[in-house]
Amino acid sequence: MAVLDPNEIFFTAFEPKVKNRFIAYIDGFPSYIIKGVNAVTIDNGEQVLNHINVYRKVKGKSKWGDVQFTLYDPITPSGAQAMIEWIRLHHESVTGRDGYSDFYKKDITFNVIDPVGSIISEWIMKGAFIKTANWGDYSYDEDGTIQNLTMTVGMDYCVLNF
Protein backbone atom coordinates (compact mmCIF):
# COMPACT_ATOMS: atom_id res chain seq x y z
CA MET A 1 0.00 0.00 0.00
CA ALA A 2 1.31 3.47 -0.95
CA VAL A 3 2.14 5.94 1.78
CA LEU A 4 0.99 9.53 1.27
CA ASP A 5 3.67 12.19 1.44
CA PRO A 6 2.56 15.08 3.71
CA ASN A 7 4.27 17.57 1.38
CA GLU A 8 1.91 16.56 -1.41
CA ILE A 9 -1.41 16.62 0.46
CA PHE A 10 -1.07 19.70 2.67
CA PHE A 11 -1.01 23.37 1.67
CA THR A 12 2.13 24.58 -0.06
CA ALA A 13 2.81 28.29 -0.52
CA PHE A 14 2.56 29.12 -4.21
CA GLU A 15 2.91 32.46 -6.02
CA PRO A 16 2.77 32.25 -9.83
CA LYS A 17 4.63 34.62 -12.11
CA VAL A 18 2.34 37.30 -13.57
CA LYS A 19 2.63 38.51 -17.18
CA ASN A 20 2.55 42.21 -16.37
CA ARG A 21 5.44 42.18 -13.88
CA PHE A 22 8.57 42.72 -15.95
CA ILE A 23 11.21 45.31 -16.74
CA ALA A 24 13.22 45.27 -19.97
CA TYR A 25 16.49 47.16 -20.39
CA ILE A 26 17.58 48.16 -23.89
CA ASP A 27 20.39 50.69 -24.23
CA GLY A 28 18.88 53.94 -25.53
CA PHE A 29 15.26 53.09 -24.60
CA PRO A 30 13.56 54.23 -21.39
CA SER A 31 12.22 51.08 -19.68
CA TYR A 32 8.78 52.56 -19.13
CA ILE A 33 7.99 52.76 -22.87
CA ILE A 34 8.38 48.98 -23.30
CA LYS A 35 4.76 47.78 -23.26
CA GLY A 36 5.16 44.09 -24.08
CA VAL A 37 7.64 41.38 -25.04
CA ASN A 38 7.15 37.94 -26.55
CA ALA A 39 8.66 35.04 -24.65
CA VAL A 40 12.09 33.67 -25.52
CA THR A 41 11.97 30.54 -27.69
CA ILE A 42 14.50 28.00 -28.97
CA ASP A 43 14.23 25.41 -31.73
CA ASN A 44 16.70 22.53 -31.54
CA GLY A 45 15.64 20.98 -34.82
CA GLU A 46 16.52 17.38 -35.62
CA GLN A 47 18.82 15.28 -37.72
CA VAL A 48 17.55 11.94 -38.99
CA LEU A 49 20.12 9.15 -39.12
CA ASN A 50 19.42 6.21 -41.44
CA HIS A 51 20.57 2.88 -40.10
CA ILE A 52 19.70 -0.31 -42.02
CA ASN A 53 15.88 -0.29 -41.92
CA VAL A 54 15.25 2.13 -39.01
CA TYR A 55 15.62 5.83 -38.32
CA ARG A 56 17.30 7.43 -35.34
CA LYS A 57 16.91 11.08 -34.48
CA VAL A 58 19.36 13.40 -32.79
CA LYS A 59 19.29 17.09 -32.01
CA GLY A 60 20.05 19.46 -34.88
CA LYS A 61 21.41 23.00 -34.74
CA SER A 62 19.90 25.15 -31.99
CA LYS A 63 18.26 28.38 -33.19
CA TRP A 64 16.99 31.07 -30.83
CA GLY A 65 13.68 32.54 -31.97
CA ASP A 66 13.06 36.20 -32.65
CA VAL A 67 11.50 38.35 -29.94
CA GLN A 68 8.91 41.02 -30.69
CA PHE A 69 8.81 44.17 -28.57
CA THR A 70 5.78 46.46 -28.41
CA LEU A 71 6.61 50.01 -27.34
CA TYR A 72 4.62 53.08 -26.44
CA ASP A 73 5.53 56.14 -28.52
CA PRO A 74 5.47 59.13 -26.17
CA ILE A 75 5.99 62.66 -27.47
CA THR A 76 9.08 63.08 -25.30
CA PRO A 77 11.27 61.16 -25.09
CA SER A 78 10.32 59.86 -28.51
CA GLY A 79 10.15 56.08 -28.79
CA ALA A 80 10.26 56.41 -32.59
CA GLN A 81 13.48 58.42 -32.32
CA ALA A 82 15.07 55.84 -30.00
CA MET A 83 14.20 53.07 -32.48
CA ILE A 84 15.58 54.96 -35.52
CA GLU A 85 18.81 55.77 -33.65
CA TRP A 86 19.41 52.03 -33.11
CA ILE A 87 18.53 51.32 -36.75
CA ARG A 88 21.05 53.96 -37.89
CA LEU A 89 23.74 51.85 -36.25
CA HIS A 90 22.61 48.98 -38.54
CA HIS A 91 22.19 51.05 -41.72
CA GLU A 92 22.35 54.76 -42.46
CA SER A 93 19.79 55.38 -45.20
CA VAL A 94 21.14 58.81 -46.20
CA THR A 95 24.65 57.56 -47.02
CA GLY A 96 23.90 53.86 -47.61
CA ARG A 97 26.57 52.89 -45.07
CA ASP A 98 26.07 49.66 -43.11
CA GLY A 99 27.51 49.40 -39.61
CA TYR A 100 29.77 46.79 -38.08
CA SER A 101 28.08 44.26 -35.81
CA ASP A 102 30.08 45.69 -32.89
CA PHE A 103 28.15 48.93 -33.38
CA TYR A 104 24.58 47.66 -33.73
CA LYS A 105 24.48 44.47 -31.63
CA LYS A 106 23.35 45.06 -28.04
CA ASP A 107 22.62 42.97 -24.98
CA ILE A 108 19.02 43.20 -23.76
CA THR A 109 18.14 42.35 -20.17
CA PHE A 110 14.63 41.15 -19.39
CA ASN A 111 13.75 40.88 -15.68
CA VAL A 112 10.63 39.25 -14.26
CA ILE A 113 9.71 40.78 -10.90
CA ASP A 114 7.63 39.67 -7.91
CA PRO A 115 4.82 41.68 -6.23
CA VAL A 116 7.28 43.74 -4.18
CA GLY A 117 9.62 44.49 -7.12
CA SER A 118 12.42 42.00 -6.48
CA ILE A 119 13.94 40.33 -9.53
CA ILE A 120 12.92 36.66 -9.64
CA SER A 121 14.06 35.78 -13.15
CA GLU A 122 16.59 37.35 -15.51
CA TRP A 123 17.03 36.70 -19.24
CA ILE A 124 19.92 38.24 -21.14
CA MET A 125 19.60 38.35 -24.93
CA LYS A 126 23.16 38.46 -26.28
CA GLY A 127 23.99 40.11 -29.59
CA ALA A 128 20.50 41.49 -30.23
CA PHE A 129 19.75 43.51 -33.36
CA ILE A 130 16.62 44.86 -35.04
CA LYS A 131 15.29 42.67 -37.85
CA THR A 132 12.07 44.59 -38.53
CA ALA A 133 10.65 47.86 -37.22
CA ASN A 134 7.11 49.23 -37.53
CA TRP A 135 6.17 52.75 -36.49
CA GLY A 136 2.45 51.94 -36.44
CA ASP A 137 -0.53 53.34 -38.29
CA TYR A 138 -2.33 56.66 -38.05
CA SER A 139 -6.04 57.12 -38.70
CA TYR A 140 -8.68 59.79 -38.12
CA ASP A 141 -11.07 56.97 -37.19
CA GLU A 142 -9.11 56.22 -34.02
CA ASP A 143 -10.27 58.40 -31.16
CA GLY A 144 -7.49 58.89 -28.62
CA THR A 145 -5.86 55.49 -29.20
CA ILE A 146 -2.28 55.33 -27.96
CA GLN A 147 0.34 54.98 -30.69
CA ASN A 148 2.41 51.79 -30.47
CA LEU A 149 5.65 50.82 -32.14
CA THR A 150 6.80 47.26 -32.78
CA MET A 151 10.23 45.84 -33.46
CA THR A 152 11.33 42.29 -34.05
CA VAL A 153 14.71 41.54 -32.56
CA GLY A 154 17.01 38.69 -33.54
CA MET A 155 19.85 37.57 -31.29
CA ASP A 156 22.83 35.25 -31.14
CA TYR A 157 21.72 33.44 -27.97
CA CYS A 158 20.01 33.89 -24.62
CA VAL A 159 21.07 33.21 -21.05
CA LEU A 160 18.65 32.53 -18.20
CA ASN A 161 20.59 33.60 -15.10
CA PHE A 162 17.92 32.63 -12.53
Side-chain angles (χ1 to χ4, degrees), residues 128-139:
F129 62 96
I130 296 178
K131 291 181 72 172
T132 61
N134 184 337
W135 282 268
D137 299 322
Y138 293 89
S139 172

Side-chain angles (χ1 to χ4, degrees), residues 3-160:
V3 176
L4 295 176
D5 182 6
N7 294 327
E8 294 177 0
I9 61 173
F10 294 118
F11 175 76
T12 303
F14 171 74
E15 180 74 31
K17 292 179 183 176
V18 179
K19 289 184 177 187
N20 67 344
R21 293 185 190 143
F22 70 91
I23 301 173
Y25 299 98
I26 305 172
D27 184 34
F29 291 79
S31 291
Y32 59 85
I33 72 168
I34 300 172
K35 179 181 177 181
V37 182
N38 287 3
V40 173
T41 61
I42 189 168
D43 179 7
N44 285 321
E46 70 177 11
Q47 291 290 323
V48 178
L49 306 173
N50 293 319
H51 179 71
I52 305 176
N53 59 351
V54 296
Y55 292 110
R56 298 283 185 247
K57 295 181 183 179
V58 295
K59 182 192 93 55
K61 288 186 178 181
S62 298
K63 179 181 176 188
W64 288 94
D66 299 337
V67 175
Q68 185 170 7
F69 287 83
T70 304
L71 313 170
Y72 293 114
D73 189 13
I75 296 170
T76 57
S78 172
Q81 190 66 36
M83 201 158 63
I84 197 67
E85 290 300 327
W86 191 9
I87 288 174
R88 285 187 181 135
L89 297 175
H90 296 65
H91 174 78
E92 177 57 61
S93 56
V94 175
T95 62
R97 178 194 66 83
D98 282 344
Y100 289 106
S101 62
D102 283 350
F103 298 160
Y104 64 80
K105 284 191 170 187
K106 298 182 179 195
D107 291 348
I108 297 174
T109 303
F110 179 78
N111 292 331
V112 179
I113 56 177
D114 66 7
V116 296
S118 300
I119 299 171
I120 56 174
S121 182
E122 180 180 67
W123 282 97
I124 299 177
M125 301 169 201
K126 304 293 280 182
F129 62 96
I130 296 178
K131 291 181 72 172
T132 61
N134 184 337
W135 282 268
D137 299 322
Y138 293 89
S139 172
Y140 286 117
D141 293 334
E142 299 293 325
D143 188 23
T145 303
I146 295 174
Q147 181 65 16
N148 289 323
L149 311 168
T150 58
M151 64 180 179
T152 303
V153 173
M155 84 259 333
D156 293 331
Y157 63 95
C158 292
V159 177
L160 178 61

